[in-house]
Amino acid sequence: MKSAVVVFPGLNRDRDMIAALTTIGGEPPVVVWHKDTDIPDVDLIVIPGGFSYGDYLRAGAIAARSPIMQAIRGKASRGVHVLGVCNGFQILTEAGLLPGVLMRNASLRFVCREVRLKVENHRTRFTGGYNEGQVITTPVAHHDGNYFVDASTLKSLEDNEQIAFTYAEGTNPNGSVADIAGVFNRDKNVLGLMPHPENLIESAHGGLDGRALFSNLLQVA
């Protein structure tokens, strides 16, 4: 399965994501610059974490208007899988590819620690490597991870099984509504999540809980 990593000014997790995709998939992803207007023929597009454009205006707001986003919208509409992690999640919401907004953490503090995640919907290419209700460990590192939608949108997310992960065991680090840590679009081919599964794929990292997300996406054992 071919993949691409999109790079914006200010991101700092692109190398981590490239390393994870290379390690698990066996070949490096294509690296796409934010000013490009086209993406090669790939099966997975990833927007990694960091602080694109210094998080000015709102986290992800400027990056969401970069030229490459039109190509990402087109690919997503044709069924290509798109993954946004942390700042990538913020960019996807700002671009309208995912519902909701990501606000300042309720504590108004940057958080960097491990949290526990519950798999809410395992019937997707993103989450098929996990069991329904499985609880995994994943690190977070963000200042604007407080996910919010209004009550009617929350009900729609629940009814359409668009909630991918929730913070479990009282580990919600940011105040997100309904403990939401990650959501899908309606077609389940776009996923945004605040935690960093790419940082927990090898024993040397302290665990392997993030590995199943990538191995299932990349179709490797």
Side-chain angles (χ1 to χ4, degrees):
M1 187 177 192
K2 295 181 179 180
S3 61
V5 171
V6 182
V7 179
F8 295 85
L11 293 188
N12 59 12
R13 296 299 185 99
D14 47 302
R15 292 187 179 184
D16 293 4
M17 188 62 72
I18 291 167
L21 293 170
T22 303
T23 298
I24 297 173
E27 62 178 292
V30 177
V31 177
V32 179
W33 185 234
H34 73 112
K35 287 189 176 181
D36 293 342
T37 57
D38 191 29
I39 297 176
D41 186 16
V42 297
D43 307 290
L44 170 66
I45 300 167
V46 184
I47 307 177
F51 305 93
S52 59
Y53 294 95
D55 281 350
Y56 288 112
L57 300 183
R58 294 182 307 275
I62 299 176
R65 287 150 181 82
S66 288
I68 197 61
M69 294 308 299
Q70 189 59 36
I72 293 174
R73 287 189 188 91
K75 295 282 190 181
S77 70
R78 294 189 290 275
V80 173
H81 283 73
V82 179
L83 170 65
V85 174
C86 198
N87 196 219
F89 186 9
Q90 295 160 345
I91 292 168
L92 290 175
T93 59
E94 290 286 342
L97 283 163
L98 288 173
V101 296
L102 288 145
M103 308 183 298
R104 293 285 173 88
N105 296 341
S107 66
L108 300 183
R109 296 176 182 270
F110 183 86
V111 294
C112 182
R113 62 173 182 262
E114 288 188 348
V115 298
R116 302 281 281 163
L117 297 181
K118 180 182 178 183
V119 180
E120 297 291 345
N121 180 357
H122 79 301
R123 295 176 297 279
T124 75
R125 280 288 298 278
F126 291 104
T127 54
Y130 300 108
N131 297 318
E132 190 84 3
Q134 182 176 349
V135 176
I136 63 174
T137 299
T138 314
V140 296
H142 58 252
H143 190 268
D144 298 77
N146 185 355
Y147 182 76
F148 179 78
V149 291
D150 60 26
S152 62
T153 305
L154 176 60
K155 185 177 187 307
S156 177
L157 291 177
E158 293 170 341
D159 291 346
N160 296 325
E161 299 185 316
Q162 288 177 249
I163 299 174
F165 300 96
T166 55
Y167 298 108
E169 302 174 1
T171 62
N172 184 334
N174 48 45
S176 288
V177 64
D179 294 324
I180 291 173
V183 297
F184 302 111
N185 66 339
R186 289 184 68 90
D187 292 332
K188 313 296 191 304
N189 69 305
V190 179
L191 168 64
L193 72 162
M194 285 311 295
H196 288 272
E198 76 276 13
N199 290 146
L200 211 61
I201 64 162
E202 298 184 89
S203 297
H205 294 163
L208 301 170
D209 283 0
R211 193 177 185 96
L213 186 147
F214 296 103
S215 60
N216 202 66
L217 269 174
L218 298 172
Q219 297 181 322
V220 296

